[in-house]
Amino acid sequence: MEGLTVFTEMLAAEVLKTTPTKNKAALREAKRGILDYLASALAGREDAGVLKLLHAIEAEGGHPVAALMGQNKRANRRQAALVNGFMGHALDYDDVHSDVRGHPSSVILPALFALAAGREISGKQFLDAYIIGVEVMARLGQAFGTISYLQGWHNTSLLGGVAATFAGARLLGFTVAETQNAVGIAASQAAGLRVQFGTEMKPLHAGLAAQQAVQSIELTQQGFLGSAAALDTTSGYLAAYGEKEISEATRKALLENWGDSWRIATPGLWFKRFPFCSAALHGADAARQLAKLQLPVENIANIAIIFPPDGDAALIHKHPVTGEQGRFSIEYVVALALLGQAYTLEKFEAKAISDQAQQLMKVMSRKYDVHHLPDSQAIPKGRFTIIRIAMADGTVHTREVSVPIGSPGMPLTDAELEAKWQDAAPDKNNLEKVPATIRVLEKSSLNDLMALL
């Protein structure tokens, strides 16, 4: 196809010339995304994996220029991106995007914060770069479709490092050629397997992707050379992880209609109330509705949890033994609700699941309905979860959810996001200062926000 040999160049040119903060919806959602990332990261600041990473980077040393969120410490840029990326995704409490089928902000924002450290960066520059990072990641997700995910790749890391590199290039004012080079370096580091879900490696994917973006930017600044056409041809990034032939649909997904709207706002980010995989959010809402019936669990004969085909692909643990695995188990999420237990952070720690929950999960089974028609407004399109409880006396109770709370179709309010931040913030003196600073970030220096962190 004509133009494929300059595909990377064309995308770099779009990234560098557009100004998304002119769009009010995109600007608003970017501010919400920053606050949600900070809440998610600081909620995870004492995770065991964070402490392990802190020990590891202390042994490495380096120029401590970038802040480690909630640690009262600094590290070099690559180390900060690694730790802050892990921290943001440690509890699976961070935002998701349906086009990405993964977590944008816990890769893009740690990379941008690290690159901005020690530099004079305006809030508007930072917001533009963040919105563009989400845009690229979502467009890459559309270009790949379901192929890479169903093959076993984790899109947060597979797409995130490349997207964050585009964002970093925009932040630092790279040329098109410099951006192509940095993306070439990043594309060769793309990886991350879904088999790691429910282990410390899953959040490390976000940290590694953020670190790879910073590394790709820094190597380019040092004159290190990579391919200028890493997204192109049958041996490039898109073909290696997706369809072997780069189609017209792929070209359109990445290059058309830049600036008409921004994917950070349409279809938009999902913000979570609970620390588990977004693929379980539909089922969680259905289970919480059923829990209001106060059904005696000892009288439940069986529970069917019904998805569209592949609707549970991310929920890899049918028989979890720890709360950490339970973040990726619809069975555990449903069991907690029916047992009247809240979705608190401690329920999803790396500790043994209660015997009561284990017993209830034994009567559950997953089913798939290819013929069921979900709500026309379903998010993602075509997605639903039905929970059908059959009691020992023959009565049946059913609930279906196609638009979960926290998704763009039923978004969290600003007040709910600020409450999430207030629950997580380690410095109670900054409870109001951080949201207030983010609200006017496009009119101030990024240092105003970073000083509070």
Side-chain angles (χ1 to χ4, degrees):
M1 183 187 301
E2 183 181 354
L4 284 182
T5 57
V6 292
F7 198 71
T8 314
E9 179 183 356
M10 294 166 71
L11 185 55
E14 292 288 359
V15 162
L16 298 177
K17 74 182 183 183
T18 50
T19 308
T21 47
K22 292 179 179 178
N23 182 296
K24 291 182 179 179
L27 179 61
R28 178 178 184 271
E29 289 307 302
K31 293 176 182 179
R32 283 161 55 85
I34 291 171
L35 184 63
D36 184 79
Y37 162 74
L38 293 175
S40 301
L42 291 170
R45 68 188 179 276
E46 296 180 354
D47 183 84
V50 174
L51 301 179
K52 295 172 189 177
L53 289 178
L54 291 176
H55 288 309
I57 67 172
E58 284 171 4
E60 291 177 4
H63 182 52
V65 64
L68 301 175
M69 301 294 179
Q71 304 297 330
N72 199 27
K73 296 179 181 179
R74 293 180 181 272
N76 68 40
R77 298 183 201 281
R78 297 183 198 183
Q79 293 167 338
L82 176 71
V83 175
N84 291 335
F86 180 97
M87 206 182 311
H89 196 35
L91 305 179
D92 224 281
Y93 202 20
D94 50 325
D95 64 36
V96 295
H97 195 288
S98 56
D99 288 346
V100 171
R101 206 168 185 174
H103 304 259
S105 296
S106 284
V107 179
I108 296 164
L109 287 174
L112 292 178
F113 277 122
L115 290 169
R119 295 185 166 105
E120 282 297 326
I121 301 291
S122 72
K124 181 179 179 299
Q125 285 175 281
F126 189 85
L127 288 160
D128 275 326
Y130 172 39
I131 296 167
I132 282 170
V134 175
E135 184 75 11
V136 172
M137 199 167 173
R139 285 174 177 263
L140 286 172
Q142 283 190 308
F144 280 121
T146 61
I147 293 175
S148 60
Y149 196 85
L150 296 180
Q151 284 178 340
W153 296 106
H154 181 199
N155 284 2
T156 298
S157 48
L158 180 66
L159 313 180
V162 172
T165 301
F166 274 112
R170 170 57 185 259
L171 183 76
L172 299 187
F174 272 24
T175 65
V176 169
E178 289 170 334
T179 302
Q180 289 175 257
N181 189 80
V183 168
I185 297 171
S188 283
Q189 301 173 76
L193 298 172
R194 286 198 295 115
V195 72
Q196 301 287 2
F197 285 15
T199 76
E200 290 177 337
M201 273 304 302
K202 184 178 189 280
L204 189 63
H205 287 167
L208 288 171
Q211 182 185 62
Q212 290 158 8
V214 172
Q215 177 169 270
S216 300
I217 294 289
E218 291 185 334
L219 286 173
T220 297
Q221 290 174 317
Q222 295 301 316
F224 195 90
L225 298 179
S227 170
L231 305 186
D232 306 321
T233 78
T234 56
S235 60
Y237 167 76
L238 291 167
Y241 293 108
E243 295 179 347
K244 294 303 178 186
E245 296 293 331
I246 300 175
S247 66
E248 178 67 14
T250 299
R251 188 195 68 78
K252 288 181 177 180
L254 286 173
L255 297 177
E256 288 195 351
N257 303 318
W258 267 83
D260 288 357
S261 63
W262 294 95
R263 283 160 174 76
I264 198 169
T266 306
L269 295 171
W270 299 40
F271 299 117
K272 296 184 182 181
R273 297 177 297 162
F274 310 123
F276 51 75
C277 180
S278 60
L281 292 180
H282 301 72
D285 286 355
R288 283 160 60 86
Q289 292 174 23
L290 287 163
K292 294 178 181 178
L293 302 178
Q294 297 184 322
L295 303 172
V297 295
E298 65 274 11
N299 293 340
I300 293 176
N302 63 75
I303 301 172
I305 307 173
I306 305 165
F307 299 94
D310 297 321
D312 63 336
L315 303 172
I316 65 171
H317 290 291
K318 295 182 179 181
H319 309 286
V321 296
T322 68
E324 187 174 47
Q325 292 178 346
R327 292 178 192 150
F328 307 94
S329 171
I330 188 62
E331 290 81 6
Y332 181 57
V333 167
V334 171
L336 287 178
L338 296 181
L339 291 169
Q341 298 179 22
Y343 295 138
T344 55
L345 294 176
E346 57 267 26
K347 290 293 193 301
F348 296 92
E349 294 177 347
K351 298 177 182 177
I353 287 173
S354 71
D355 291 341
Q356 193 178 20
Q358 290 284 10
Q359 289 300 314
L360 186 54
M361 288 191 291
K362 288 179 181 179
V363 303
M364 299 184 192
S365 61
R366 301 188 192 187
K367 301 183 184 300
Y368 307 92
D369 191 336
V370 69
H371 301 295
H372 181 75
L373 294 177
D375 189 290
S376 62
Q377 303 301 311
I379 300 178
K381 185 177 180 180
R383 190 68 63 85
F384 62 86
T385 303
I386 300 169
I387 299 179
R388 184 172 295 137
I389 301 177
M391 305 300 291
D393 64 3
T395 58
V396 176
H397 305 276
T398 302
R399 294 292 186 278
E400 175 181 353
V401 170
S402 295
V403 182
I405 298 172
S407 70
M410 199 174 292
L412 299 189
T413 66
D414 289 348
E416 287 172 320
L417 276 179
E418 291 194 17
K420 180 176 175 177
W421 156 253
Q422 290 169 359
D423 287 342
D427 183 357
K428 301 308 178 184
N429 293 322
N430 284 340
L431 285 182
E432 299 298 334
K433 291 180 182 178
V434 168
T437 301
I438 293 173
R439 285 187 211 113
V440 295
L441 189 57
E442 76 278 18
K443 301 176 183 177
S444 61
S445 168
L446 183 65
N447 288 333
D448 294 346
L449 176 61
M450 296 181 76
L452 298 174
L453 302 176

